[in-house]
Amino acid sequence: MYIVESDELDIKKIAESGQIFRFNEVEKGLFNLIAGEKIVDIKQISDNSYEFSCDKKEYDEFWHGYFDMNTDYSLFKKNIPEDDKFLNEAVSYAKGVRILKQDEFEMLISFIISQRKSIPSIKSSIEKLSKLCGKHLGEGKYAFPSAEALSNLEIEELNACSLGYRNEYVSTAAKKVAKGEINLKEWRSLGDEDLRNALMSMRGVGIKVANCVALFGYYRINSFPIDVWIQRIIDTYYDGCFPIERYEGYAGIIQQYIFFYGRSIKAGTDKALNK
DNA sequence: GCGCAGGTAATCT
DNA sequence: AGATTACCTGCG
């Protein structure tokens, strides 16, 4: 057990922030997270403190970095104009959301799957894939599959994971990585623009998915994925144009705040407009 | 039964 | 360049 205390860490919000699909609240205040071959339970014990089920050593060596705890998120509030009511509310509402340092292959496959799918549906497909060919970690839990394991699946097995037309995208991406045609780790050395283009060279990876993979799998916190939610918010509150350059270098963090808050109020929908 | 969901690629103008 | 459309599948 290890206790983590921080005003800038909110486990529930992070689990629900849409950046991660294998982080669930299993009972009130108790969260389970699978990352790589590691599993951790996190229990909320007060407003700003959590009990991690791992020991201090594992926390220090892995989870501390995974939760990006060396970054001071209070700094990202700078440059927000006082009169930007929406963003000020978003930042306040999303306090404690952080960008996790997730595995790039897992992010690639997960966000390929995510297209035109709801979050529960994305999670369901990922769990099916993991059960099918991920490493067994005990207690009915499975790691996210390796590229090799995924690429060795039979078509029928893949079909059983409710991927639909993304089937082929997942399979070819996994095969390219497994064969070494693509080296996702090497892409870490690419600049943001080159990385995005490299990702988009894969079938099924467009601008939105590429930006998500860059942001969540490569920690390119200047990436600003625009999905239908973000677009609705930009249209509704920013007259169709968001001043992204104002947040140069960390626009992705701002995007997460906007996304998390915007979804909570169903921004841009009839409900938010009291229609 | 029908429309839509955290997009992409192909095929138009 | 920008607009339009088909696409798997599950859910209301």
Side-chain angles (χ1 to χ4, degrees), chain A residues 35-128:
Chain A
E37 296 186 4
K38 290 188 168 64
I39 299 182
V40 70
D41 285 312
I42 303 173
K43 190 176 176 185
Q44 177 144 25
I45 51 178
S46 78
D47 276 353
N48 65 345
S49 61
Y50 297 90
E51 181 186 273
F52 280 59
S53 62
C54 62
D55 59 17
K56 180 182 191 319
K57 184 175 186 307
E58 181 176 314
Y59 175 81
D60 287 342
E61 288 176 359
F62 186 76
W63 299 109
H64 186 80
Y66 183 85
F67 280 95
D68 196 23
M69 294 302 281
N70 283 324
T71 302
D72 181 359
Y73 277 64
S74 67
L75 297 175
F76 299 132
K77 292 176 195 156
K78 68 184 178 189
N79 290 349
I80 299 176
E82 261 182 56
D83 64 358
D84 188 337
K85 190 162 168 283
F86 181 86
L87 193 45
N88 278 296
E89 278 177 17
V91 167
S92 155
Y93 183 83
K95 184 178 159 73
V97 170
R98 315 178 71 85
I99 304 292
L100 303 178
K101 301 213 172 147
Q102 299 185 75
D103 178 78
E104 55 273 40
F105 178 70
E106 177 169 344
M107 290 297 94
L108 174 64
I109 300 300
S110 297
F111 281 99
I112 285 176
I113 292 172
S114 78
Q115 58 191 81
R116 280 194 73 76
K117 255 181 179 294
S118 65
I119 292 180
S121 175
I122 300 165
K123 286 184 171 182
S124 159
S125 285
I126 291 174
E127 288 319 301
K128 286 177 188 169

Side-chain angles (χ1 to χ4, degrees), chain A residues 52 124 189 193 222 242 253 256:
Chain A
F52 280 59
S124 159
S189 64
E193 185 77 29
N222 199 36
F242 184 77
I253 311 271
Q256 274 293 281

Side-chain angles (χ1 to χ4, degrees), chain A residues 19 99-109 111 177 182-192 194-196 198-199 202 209-223:
Chain A
Q19 66 177 299
I99 304 292
L100 303 178
K101 301 213 172 147
Q102 299 185 75
D103 178 78
E104 55 273 40
F105 178 70
E106 177 169 344
M107 290 297 94
L108 174 64
I109 300 300
F111 281 99
V177 172
I182 275 173
N183 188 327
L184 295 177
K185 298 280 183 203
E186 275 179 7
W187 287 2
R188 292 205 164 274
S189 64
L190 297 177
D192 287 0
D194 289 342
L195 173 62
R196 195 167 34 241
L199 289 165
M202 275 181 277
V209 169
N211 271 315
C212 283
V213 177
L215 178 57
F216 305 126
Y218 287 86
Y219 196 70
R220 299 304 171 93
I221 59 171
N222 199 36
S223 299

Side-chain angles (χ1 to χ4, degrees), chain A residues 13-26:
Chain A
K13 290 180 190 172
I14 293 172
E16 293 171 354
S17 66
Q19 66 177 299
I20 180 162
F21 304 107
R22 309 199 73 203
F23 196 177
N24 297 300
E25 186 164 18
V26 291

